[in-house]
Amino acid sequence: MSSSTKTANPDLIRVWEETEKNRSLFEREVRNLPLPVKKAFIENKKIAPAGFKPSEEKLAENRDLNRVAEAFPKLYPQTGDRVLKADIANRPLVSGKRVAVLFSGGPAAGGHNVLAGLKKALGPDNVLLGVKHGPKGLLGGSLFEIKEEDLNRLLNTGGFDFLGTDRTKIKNHGQFKLVKAVCRDQRVDALVIIGGDDSNTNAAVLAEYLFENVHADGRGVQVLGVPKTIDGDLQEGALLPISFGFDTATKIYSELVGNILQDTPSSRKYWHFIKLMGRSASHVALEVALQTKPAIAFISEELEEKKLSLHQIVDIICRSVARRAGRGINYGVILIPEGLIEFIPEMKILIKELNEVMADSARLLSELNTMAEKKDFIYGKISAESVKLMASLPHEFENMLLLDRDSHGNLQVSQIPTEKLLIEMVNIRLHEMKVNPAPFIGQAEEQIDLAPEEVERFVKSRFATNSHFFGYEGRCGAPSRFDAAYTFNLGLTAGSLALAGKTGYMAAISALDCGGEALALPLTGLIHVERRHGRDEMVIEKALVETDSPAFKYFLSVRERWAGEDCFSSPGPRQLWGPVAGQLPITVALNQGCAGLDFDLGEETRII
Ligand code: FBP
């Protein structure tokens, strides 16, 4: 029979069409998986909310506590810098409470499981309201009830699509009043904000504003945070080892990078410049480097500490390319953290100056029609060094630095093609080195120690490149085994805090390798004073990679070997079910002093 006379089997078509809207064969399976649940949330084999009591755990010393106390006069006396922990002795017996939840900022795997945990903690006697489209939806009053049956669709699936998210910052009086009105009109008793450092700072500000007198009887609205960001830069030592979404994103990137690494000695002809998402901190790049062992992985925090210029970074790459080419290895992988350019001192000054001019003159700039006019205006306001640096950059890159800022006034670094900029600059430098190799060869620190035949091999070698940016690929995948369990327990913690009447706390889980401890971290204890956009602001600081951390020190001890040898590791796809063995992110396990990579967050429990 010819193919034109064949017809598709209608049963197969029907089965296939059912896979639309989060009902793929894969999603159907992952939804049914049991999850580890912490003991504090289990009573008589059923999920139950926990109460809270003071913990002996302490936050790191906060030098700005007095200023925070002044800025949060109502919240601070309640929360201060005192950590709470889940307590099975005082389970809240509450009914009729209405808790609203929203996503804020970029998506991260496991958000849907936070919703599931919240819903389970609240139980059938309380109401969980979903806010559509993040903070913007809150201002517009877009709330709807999340039903038990919604969990059948949500559990263990990736993305934030059930509610949507956005990056609106609720910061002015008009917005605060709107939120108050929405909470009063929709009888919201508690608001849970699932977000990163900025969003949790916002949660603290809202907790202060909504502390009292929202409802007719004088009650306020509780505000709670849940730590989310694939960037992994919302951490608080042992009390909050990592934000959710980091594990899934880094495992997805590690699979992709591992595949590319495996391609390099197979095809033997490309250098791959791979930029990895992570707006500021380089936790993602460090984790992926440890998972995959590339030739070079830049860690922005180290570059900043060493005050390296863009040209010195280019030289590091060129030396490695030449050394490997001398040994006949004409390929390699370079990992570049998304935020790298903001950590190069000269670029940092330039970007800071640009941010300030663009924030201060936003209205004026919006009235200028052409890029040339904008440039003229901006260049007239920044320092001579910055103007010079701007002029030395490739044209495309220069324009990118002038793109509109996000709602927090930050440069949208994910739009800056750093990987392409480096390729362009490395190409030029390698050409210079090949034309006249003598000055580059030798034993001085800035030179390359190559034998004459290696120099010859390098000079004859071809430098072919590919650029990649792995970012959005990793944010919305189904949560890894770790993130699925972690987020469900974070949801249970936040739901319990809501029922326990707490406000101004962020849910956290510590002791990830030994049963987990559900904690409530006081937002007022996490807030510091930081200079942003030319003024002091109260913010939760981003946790950057520390160059004296165990994870970074381990990386330091192995990177020379990775640079010189043709070694790599290809970890394969992330695990979504099966044993919890070997599933912790390696940077987290190293920094937390864990004995292994196994996580332990309680007993496997069927959720739906
Ligand atoms: P959050 O901190 O809000 O979770 O977002 C992190 C992130 O994934 C960054 O790594 C990245 O720079 C940014 O989002 C990109 O988001 P957008 O597409 O909104 O610019």
Side-chain angles (χ1 to χ4, degrees), residues 105-106 167 228-231 277-279 338 412 414 472 475:
R167 290 192 183 278
K228 166 243 54 162
T229 172
I230 66 157
D231 297 2
M277 213 173 230
R279 182 167 46 208
E338 183 185 1
Q412 298 181 54
S414 59
Y472 300 101
R475 301 203 304 190

Side-chain angles (χ1 to χ4, degrees), residues 356-471:
E356 289 188 7
V357 176
M358 290 171 81
D360 294 346
S361 312
R363 204 178 48 79
L364 237 157
L365 280 164
S366 70
E367 285 161 8
L368 299 177
N369 294 326
T370 66
M371 187 54 113
E373 283 175 319
K374 282 186 187 173
K375 276 186 193 169
D376 274 354
F377 177 83
I378 292 170
Y379 290 6
K381 302 234 173 246
I382 59 177
S383 64
E385 294 75 32
S386 291
V387 173
K388 203 165 140 206
L389 178 60
M390 260 316 231
S392 75
L393 299 171
H395 198 57
E396 179 199 13
F397 196 71
E398 189 190 354
N399 288 346
M400 295 273 179
L401 287 175
L402 299 174
L403 285 175
D404 289 342
R405 274 31 188 177
D406 69 13
S407 64
H408 301 278
N410 298 321
L411 172 73
Q412 298 181 54
V413 281
S414 59
Q415 310 292 325
I416 305 289
T418 321
E419 65 288 14
K420 293 189 178 136
L421 171 79
L422 288 175
I423 289 178
E424 225 173 295
M425 295 178 78
V426 165
N427 249 318
I428 295 169
R429 191 90 176 119
L430 282 176
H431 179 72
E432 287 165 12
M433 288 166 71
K434 285 179 182 176
V435 171
N436 180 18
F440 303 101
I441 311 301
Q443 300 197 340
E445 206 191 323
E446 303 296 304
Q447 292 180 312
I448 321 154
D449 190 10
L450 293 182
E453 65 279 10
E454 290 179 321
V455 177
E456 203 183 321
R457 232 181 267 136
F458 159 58
V459 169
K460 284 189 184 149
S461 68
R462 192 172 157 266
F463 178 65
T465 56
N466 273 299
S467 64
H468 313 260
F469 170 31
F470 296 148

Side-chain angles (χ1 to χ4, degrees), residues 104-322:
S104 177
H112 287 168
N113 277 17
V114 178
L115 304 186
L118 275 167
K119 180 77 189 156
K120 285 289 176 189
L122 297 182
D125 298 335
N126 299 286
V127 175
L128 180 63
L129 300 163
V131 180
K132 284 193 178 162
H133 318 308
K136 198 179 191 171
L138 179 64
L139 295 170
S142 307
L143 276 65
F144 71 102
E145 185 175 346
I146 300 178
K147 299 273 176 48
E148 181 73 19
E149 55 266 30
D150 291 322
L151 302 193
N152 300 336
R153 173 181 158 199
L154 292 176
L155 200 69
N156 295 333
T157 59
F160 280 1
D161 50 295
F162 183 66
L163 296 181
T165 181
D166 96 316
R167 290 192 183 278
T168 300
K169 188 171 180 177
I170 299 176
K171 56 184 174 191
N172 62 45
H173 193 66
Q175 290 171 315
F176 288 145
K177 273 176 72 180
L178 257 182
V179 173
K180 197 184 231 180
V182 168
C183 289
R184 194 177 40 232
D185 294 350
Q186 309 225 15
R187 292 180 291 114
V188 172
D189 299 300
L191 177 63
V192 178
I193 297 180
I194 303 174
D197 52 326
D198 277 333
S199 308
N200 275 282
T201 300
N202 233 219
V205 176
L206 271 177
E208 175 71 21
Y209 185 78
L210 301 176
F211 194 81
E212 57 196 6
N213 297 328
V214 177
H215 298 289
D217 59 2
R219 271 179 312 119
V221 171
Q222 303 158 239
V223 184
L224 301 161
V226 176
K228 166 243 54 162
T229 172
I230 66 157
D231 297 2
D233 56 8
L234 184 50
Q235 298 183 14
E236 185 61 27
L239 303 186
L240 177 63
I242 195 67
S243 51
F244 82 76
F246 173 79
D247 183 56
T248 309
T250 53
K251 284 195 164 85
I252 292 176
Y253 302 146
S254 297
E255 180 192 1
L256 298 173
V257 172
N259 292 348
I260 289 178
L261 274 158
Q262 192 124 29
D263 187 287
T264 51
S266 312
S267 52
R268 310 180 72 81
K269 58 179 175 182
Y270 293 120
W271 273 86
H272 293 266
F273 286 59
I274 306 177
K275 185 172 74 173
L276 293 170
M277 213 173 230
R279 182 167 46 208
S280 295
S282 305
H283 298 290
V284 170
L286 182 56
E287 175 70 26
V288 175
L290 294 182
Q291 298 277 355
T292 60
K293 308 179 175 62
I296 299 176
F298 288 113
I299 303 300
S300 308
E301 291 82 344
E302 181 194 17
L303 304 181
E304 182 176 47
E305 208 169 279
K306 292 186 169 164
K307 299 191 173 36
L308 294 190
S309 68
L310 195 51
H311 288 278
Q312 286 171 308
I313 292 167
V314 168
D315 276 352
I316 293 174
I317 301 175
C318 291
R319 283 201 293 276
S320 178
V321 170

